[in-house]
Amino acid sequence: MPLLTVFLRVEAEFTFLAIGVAMSLMNVPMICSPALITLLADKNVDPRRILAVAFTLSSCVLTSIYFSESLTLTFILFFFHGLSFVAMLPLQDGFYFTYAEENRKRGISVPEYPMIRIWGTIGFILPSIILFFVLRKTGGGAGAIIPCAVLFCLLSLANSFTLPKLSRALRSTASKQFPTQKALATLFSKEARWLCVGLALAFFCTSAYYGFIANYYTEVIGIPNKYIGLIMNIGVVLEIFYTLLMPRLQRWLTLKGILVCGLGFMSLRMFLLWAFPSMTTVLITQIGHGFEVMALFVVPVMFLNRLAGDEFRNSIQGVYTMAVGGVARVIAGVSAGLIVTQFGLQTLFLITGSVGCVATLVIAVLFARIPPPVAEPEASPNSHP
């Protein structure tokens, strides 16, 4: 992901607008795919097999993108890549929370969510390190990026067969509501609606940021392709320490405090990149990256799991990804492409930073935190998510 838009710009010769359209097309399936796939998991289709199909499809599509010489075909392939890719994270989140709840009811302890999520951080780091050496050897050409992605797709496919089988004992047969319907009603409830509004704005910002930050590094700062992944991984390595400190941060700040701090840093980072485009700014703004990740990808799913019932524990993650992240990311891709085309890469970060400030205020002022169950006091560093 850190180098995808560099591949499109260098190897496929995409314009900035075409990159934005490609990013939007990849996220269009997020409007339906996550909710459908997590619904299947809640309706007793084995999520391990769903993941296997998703990784297989993604590897096939990425391979086709690598060999595609047609702009239209590449756009179509990005759509199908998104169809498989966007459901992976909410499905795995739902899998974890279901597994954890089953074991909690049996009196068996499991690692807390941040300790599982930390492996996503490690997974973000490893390919970039590999690609640094590959790109250095090839003189900076971006052609190795897609084969590396396919390799990790195949490794993920193999790993899906090692996951534990869920008992499905928690499913309720008494409810006449579809899991998706119950999940959607929960998202629009008074407990969650302002959380979702704030996060939709935040996902617009971060999607535009990640869509063009690699191009900003190369074309505004002048950083060679081979160093982009390593520079981004400075913040990702620090993210590991934020994750390990999450229980303590939760005790000091509460989950809402982590959310507000993370979104505040997201806005600050974008303003700094707009106002002071330099290598120093790029490096300094990596420091708080872990806070931003906690706010966008860890805290929200923990909050939503507190509202989920056993019969829609997967679906609430999928519907959230669809209704909040999906719509925001589709709009962000094309919007960011148009902004960069008309006003340049720096102006993009001025606009997204401003939207990020609004997102932070919505969460800070209008969202009332969702408390954990009575048996799980939030101040406890060992509390269940």
Side-chain angles (χ1 to χ4, degrees):
M1 290 303 295
L3 290 160
L4 178 58
T5 57
V6 173
F7 171 84
L8 294 178
R9 185 80 167 151
V10 175
E11 299 292 331
E13 299 181 346
F14 274 30
T15 64
F16 286 128
L17 180 57
I19 290 173
V21 171
M23 295 299 100
S24 287
L25 285 173
M26 191 173 73
N27 287 303
V28 165
M30 191 176 283
I31 298 176
C32 59
S33 174
L36 175 61
I37 290 178
T38 52
L39 170 65
L40 293 175
D42 275 326
K43 299 300 284 185
N44 290 345
V45 178
D46 192 336
R48 300 174 302 172
R49 302 301 166 251
I50 302 174
L51 279 171
V53 171
F55 284 122
T56 301
L57 177 61
S58 189
S59 62
C60 292
V61 171
L62 286 170
T63 301
S64 300
I65 288 174
Y66 181 75
F67 290 106
S68 172
E69 296 182 355
S70 164
L71 178 65
T72 303
L73 177 59
T74 302
F75 279 155
I76 294 171
L77 290 169
F78 263 99
F79 174 84
F80 282 102
H81 172 57
L83 193 65
S84 58
F85 174 76
V86 297
M88 292 175 185
L89 294 182
L91 182 60
Q92 291 178 94
D93 285 338
F95 183 95
Y96 163 78
F97 286 121
T98 302
Y99 176 77
E101 184 65 13
E102 288 183 355
N103 282 275
R104 186 187 69 82
K105 292 194 172 185
R106 297 190 188 107
I108 303 171
S109 64
V110 297
E112 295 190 38
Y113 177 74
M115 296 302 102
I116 299 297
R117 175 60 177 75
I118 198 172
W119 289 97
T121 302
I122 294 169
F124 192 91
I125 294 169
L126 186 58
S128 294
I129 293 174
I130 294 172
L131 284 170
F132 167 75
F133 292 104
V134 174
L135 294 181
R136 185 173 66 174
K137 187 175 181 179
T138 60
I145 295 167
I146 298 296
C148 183
V150 173
L151 170 64
F152 279 92
C153 267
L154 296 176
L155 292 172
S156 299
L157 169 63
N159 183 67
S160 70
F161 292 96
T162 73
L163 297 173
K165 182 175 176 59
L166 302 179
S167 71
R168 304 300 177 192
L170 296 174
R171 301 294 180 265
S172 170
T173 57
S175 175
K176 294 182 180 180
Q177 281 188 304
F178 241 38
T180 304
Q181 184 181 356
K182 297 187 73 172
L184 195 58
T186 301
L187 287 184
F188 285 99
S189 67
K190 62 180 181 179
E191 292 87 357
R193 65 170 67 109
W194 287 115
L195 173 68
C196 292
V197 170
L199 287 170
L201 294 171
F203 275 116
F204 173 89
C205 298
T206 195
S207 297
Y209 171 86
Y210 281 110
F212 288 95
I213 187 60
N215 304 110
Y216 173 91
Y217 285 168
T218 59
E219 301 190 26
V220 176
I221 309 299
I223 299 172
N225 291 343
K226 62 184 177 180
Y227 292 115
I228 292 174
L230 292 183
I231 289 172
M232 288 189 178
N233 275 319
I234 295 171
V236 181
V237 169
L238 294 175
E239 180 188 325
I240 295 175
F241 297 99
Y242 281 94
T243 304
L244 294 173
L245 288 171
M246 178 101 184
R248 189 169 296 178
L249 291 172
Q250 187 175 343
R251 185 169 66 247
W252 291 342
L253 301 174
T254 75
L255 286 183
K256 179 180 175 179
I258 296 172
L259 189 56
V260 172
C261 289
L263 297 185
F265 171 77
M266 177 190 73
S267 303
L268 177 62
R269 168 153 68 170
M270 293 178 185
F271 282 135
L272 289 174
L273 290 171
W274 161 67
F276 308 103
S278 68
M279 177 64 81
T280 301
T281 304
V282 169
L283 295 175
I284 290 175
T285 54
Q286 295 295 320
I287 294 173
H289 172 80
F291 243 137
E292 181 182 341
V293 170
M294 295 298 103
L296 288 169
F297 300 107
V298 179
V299 171
V301 298
M302 292 173 70
F303 268 140
L304 293 175
N305 187 60
R306 291 177 176 180
L307 296 174
D310 292 336
E311 67 276 14
F312 64 101
R313 200 167 297 279
N314 288 285
S315 290
I316 197 169
Q317 303 297 341
V319 170
Y320 161 73
T321 302
M322 172 193 75
V324 177
V327 174
R329 291 178 183 186
V330 169
I331 295 172
V334 174
S335 299
L338 288 169
I339 292 169
V340 172
T341 300
Q342 293 295 319
F343 305 106
L345 287 159
Q346 282 180 251
T347 303
L348 173 67
F349 295 123
L350 171 63
I351 294 171
T352 54
S354 301
V355 176
C357 285
V358 176
T360 306
L361 288 172
V362 168
I363 298 294
V365 177
L366 299 176
F367 169 60
R369 76 180 185 90
I370 301 168
V374 176
E376 301 169 13
E378 187 168 38
S380 169
N382 297 313
S383 62
H384 186 277

